[in-house]
Amino acid sequence: LSEKEFQIMTYIWEENRTLTMNEIREKIGTQGKPANVSTTSSQIRGLIEKGFISQSGHRGQMARYMASVSKEAYYKWKRWNLTSVLRVI
């Protein structure tokens, strides 16, 4: 995951509920401003394509997002991949 994707996932894992795009934007924004709609939308689409989050409802304001992969499963996968890379080296 990219740094921003991980930031989104961390927020979703911490909240442990479905979230709207605006809730996610507010949380990952900087200097008191929500994150850019287009950028956040792209990151969320990427997370959906990777299977990390799922969407309920229609796109846009009505859509809600939730984790499809638990935090524990992600860290287990990450550890496994690191171990696999180290075996090659």
Side-chain angles (χ1 to χ4, degrees):
L1 297 178
S2 71
E3 184 178 331
K4 278 293 185 185
E5 288 174 332
F6 183 72
Q7 187 179 8
I8 291 169
M9 286 308 302
T10 299
Y11 177 54
I12 292 172
W13 287 324
E14 287 172 356
E15 289 296 310
N16 196 28
R17 62 182 176 91
T18 60
L19 297 165
T20 65
M21 170 80 72
N22 284 338
E23 288 173 316
I24 294 169
R25 288 180 54 233
E26 288 289 331
K27 182 65 177 183
I28 67 169
T30 58
Q31 299 176 353
K33 295 181 182 177
N36 179 279
V37 173
S38 179
T39 302
T40 305
S41 181
S42 293
Q43 291 161 341
I44 287 174
R45 270 195 313 277
L47 287 165
I48 291 170
E49 290 171 7
K50 293 175 184 178
F52 279 87
I53 62 175
S54 58
Q55 174 182 322
S56 62
H58 299 295
R59 295 177 77 160
Q61 300 296 330
M62 299 303 293
R64 298 189 72 80
Y65 305 95
M66 64 184 298
S68 298
V69 174
S70 71
K71 188 176 188 178
E72 295 75 21
Y74 171 71
Y75 280 111
K76 184 176 181 180
W77 172 84
K78 191 172 177 179
R79 234 183 350 264
W80 182 84
N81 278 339
L82 179 59
T83 302
S84 297
V85 168
L86 292 176
R87 282 188 206 142
V88 173
I89 296 174

